[in-house]
Amino acid sequence: QVQLVESGGRLVQAGGSLRLSCAASGFTFSRYSMGWFRQALGKEREIVAAISWNGDNTYYGDSMKGRVTISRDNAENMVYLQMSSLKREDTAVYYCAAAWYNGVYLYRTADNEYEYWGQGTQVTVSS
């Protein structure tokens, strides 16, 4: 069955860095664009970054632009989110998600455009 399993979330000090990983299985990974979203307590889920099926195109949401890099390894069915200069307001559950590439949109930015979701990994940034 389809699985997206995030890992790498932990408690980190403000200003620190963190790399999140997402392992995909159960579907043809290379035919899907991927995204990272986050949801802080009491807030709506928001996109952090997205990447096209082949990794050539990326999108970054305003919240972490300039502090994150999304990448993928289609040989390993993995997607990554490298985060740096973390702030307290980056505290959230981070989710990876997969959206079918229909040949038109290189990546998706709205959460309702994604078909598969992981369970999330908690990132807590302390001051």
Side-chain angles (χ1 to χ4, degrees):
Q1 78 268 25
V2 171
Q3 276 195 311
L4 292 171
V5 180
E6 303 94 336
S7 61
R10 61 176 175 86
L11 175 65
V12 61
Q13 285 194 330
S17 298
L18 206 56
R19 188 198 199 201
L20 303 183
S21 300
C22 174
S25 62
F27 62 102
T28 307
F29 182 71
S30 60
R31 293 190 177 181
Y32 283 74
S33 62
M34 298 297 295
W36 281 98
F37 290 77
R38 71 181 187 181
Q39 187 165 22
L41 200 61
K43 295 188 177 182
E44 291 188 355
R45 187 161 55 189
E46 63 176 354
I47 189 164
V48 176
I51 189 166
S52 60
W53 65 276
N54 59 1
D56 285 351
N57 302 91
T58 56
Y59 168 88
Y60 295 99
D62 290 339
S63 60
M64 298 192 77
K65 191 178 294 183
R67 300 187 292 122
V68 292
T69 301
I70 188 171
S71 61
R72 67 187 294 163
D73 183 341
N74 283 356
E76 297 294 330
N77 287 4
M78 297 289 295
V79 61
Y80 305 98
L81 187 71
Q82 179 68 47
M83 306 186 291
S84 61
S85 302
L86 286 165
K87 307 173 183 179
R88 284 193 65 184
E89 50 264 42
D90 295 322
T91 295
V93 178
Y94 285 72
Y95 300 91
C96 75
W100 169 258
Y101 173 56
N102 62 4
V104 177
Y105 299 101
L106 293 172
Y107 48 72
R108 303 288 189 157
T109 59
D111 58 2
N112 62 4
E113 296 174 313
Y114 284 79
E115 288 94 353
Y116 305 134
W117 290 83
Q119 292 300 305
T121 186
Q122 176 71 48
V123 173
T124 303
V125 184
S126 65
S127 57

